[in-house]
Amino acid sequence: MSAKRLGGVRRWVTDGLITAFLLLIGGFGSHFAQANQEATGALRTPLDVLGYAMIFAAAGVTIIRRRWPVTTLGVVAGLTAAYLIIGYPYGPILISFAVAIYTVAGELPLRRAAWFGGVAFVLLALHAFFPFHDFTNTKFNGLLPSAAFVAVPFAIGVTVKVSREAVQRSRADEARRIADDERLRVAQEVHDVVGHGLAAINMQAEIALHLLPRKPEEAEAALTRISRSSKAALDELRVTLSVLRQRGDRAPAPGLAQVPALRDRLAESGLPVTLSVVGVAAELPLAVDLAAYRVVQESLTNVLRHAGSATASVVITHLPESVIVEVTDTGRGGPVLVGSPGHGLEGMRERVTALGGTLAAGPLTAGRGWRVQAELPVAPDPTTDPNGAW
């Protein structure tokens, strides 16, 4: 089942539970409301089959409230107005009306929501003027409860909507900031990769030239190291340039050692991240360290952008021949976005496979959340000579 369909199922289940609650409280609560108003002498019309039918219909239609909020409000407001005009007791039907008002306020633009809320208030207030031919008995005190059942859920709905939009904007801003930080590191990464590789090749070439006349066998070993160093430098440069943007700034090349700092930054923006390290961390080749960090960073950035309210977990496993990074989240289960090279799932896969690794991504078995796992081979750094020479 796709993530979008799962989200729709969860929404229908939630709305179904709310509707069931409204039906339950409507059936039982209305009886007690009638008994209370009968005892105080405020009851005009006892509940009958029609009254209960209105209560249950107003509660039942709320199951479609998020898909058709205006239609839901129209039906519930009409039923509630008719219920009160007939003279049935004030009761749980007003809770269904409040839920419909809250949904319109939370789902529609403010101006449209206010307009529909005003129309609903007029309908609800009609009972205060009934019977319409006898204005001497107008119950103006009935206008205050009507206004409260419109204004309070409307204000709550607007507040929840504004808060939700503010959180989404904050997460989007944080995601952009992380992307900007990545751009600022690119120039330094290019400098470090190229400088490191060329320095190693130059030193080993000097050694080979020095040894060639007298010790050809040792010169051959130096030339082999040159070949390995140049290949490693090209691999590292390819990985770095795959995320090249426009600008850069001096900064250490990122690696798995920077994951705790990334975790702390994301926690400040509202995405709790737990970090676990399994095994003994060893010094990794620059390209492997960089690629592993980028997989973690891009996966968490996509959680921040697309998973909604969620938590994330990062597990780094150091094995003798490889390093495994795994990022899981508890969000909506949507996939990492696929875009141009360097973005999303395809960008991560190209980065990992360029180093001989593998990458797997997909929804968790529980149907909620997403998992990205990358395994990168770890080889001895060819730019480092065991005797201390480049």
Side-chain angles (χ1 to χ4, degrees), residues 167 170-171 174 262-273 300 303-304 307-312:
V167 170
S170 175
R171 286 178 172 242
E174 178 62 18
L262 176 64
R263 172 199 59 193
D264 295 339
R265 291 202 307 272
L266 292 172
E268 293 174 359
S269 65
L271 175 62
V273 180
L300 292 177
V303 174
L304 190 66
S309 300
T311 60

Side-chain angles (χ1 to χ4, degrees), residues 136-361:
T136 59
N137 293 323
T138 299
K139 301 180 288 298
F140 288 104
N141 58 340
L143 296 177
L144 184 60
S146 300
F149 274 98
V150 173
V152 173
F154 187 89
I156 295 174
V158 171
T159 301
V160 170
K161 178 183 178 182
V162 170
S163 300
R164 183 171 61 241
E165 290 175 348
V167 170
Q168 291 173 348
R169 285 195 300 270
S170 175
R171 286 178 172 242
D173 291 342
E174 178 62 18
R176 283 193 295 269
R177 190 184 70 80
I178 292 175
D180 290 339
D181 288 345
E182 180 179 345
R183 294 187 189 102
L184 293 175
R185 293 190 183 101
V186 169
Q188 176 59 29
E189 291 177 10
V190 173
H191 175 274
D192 289 345
V193 170
V194 175
H196 180 75
L198 291 179
I201 291 170
N202 179 71
M203 180 65 70
Q204 291 161 0
E206 292 288 343
I207 295 174
L209 290 173
H210 179 72
L211 296 175
L212 185 59
R214 296 176 298 172
K215 299 180 180 179
E217 66 284 355
E218 294 186 17
E220 182 181 356
L223 290 172
T224 300
R225 286 195 295 270
I226 289 175
S227 176
R228 295 169 62 192
S229 297
S230 60
K231 181 181 183 302
L234 287 173
D235 288 341
E236 293 168 9
L237 185 59
R238 181 166 56 251
V239 172
T240 301
L241 293 180
S242 67
V243 292
L244 184 59
R245 300 296 189 265
Q246 297 176 355
R247 301 167 57 187
D249 192 13
R250 295 287 302 177
L256 292 179
Q258 280 74 53
V259 171
L262 176 64
R263 172 199 59 193
D264 295 339
R265 291 202 307 272
L266 292 172
E268 293 174 359
S269 65
L271 175 62
V273 180
T274 59
L275 173 63
S276 302
V277 179
V278 180
V280 179
E283 184 175 356
L284 301 174
L286 180 59
V288 172
D289 204 19
L290 173 62
Y293 174 83
R294 291 302 189 211
V295 170
V296 174
Q297 183 189 48
E298 192 151 15
S299 299
L300 292 177
T301 300
N302 277 288
V303 174
L304 190 66
R305 285 174 174 164
H306 308 296
S309 300
T311 60
S313 174
V314 178
V315 179
I316 302 172
T317 304
H318 292 275
L319 302 175
E321 297 181 352
S322 64
V323 60
I324 301 173
V325 294
E326 182 183 78
V327 181
T328 57
D329 68 82
T330 60
R332 289 192 293 258
V336 177
L337 295 184
V338 177
S340 58
H343 295 278
L345 181 58
E346 291 302 319
M348 286 191 287
R349 180 170 283 113
E350 289 180 9
R351 185 192 295 274
V352 171
T353 55
L355 298 173
T358 58
L359 184 137

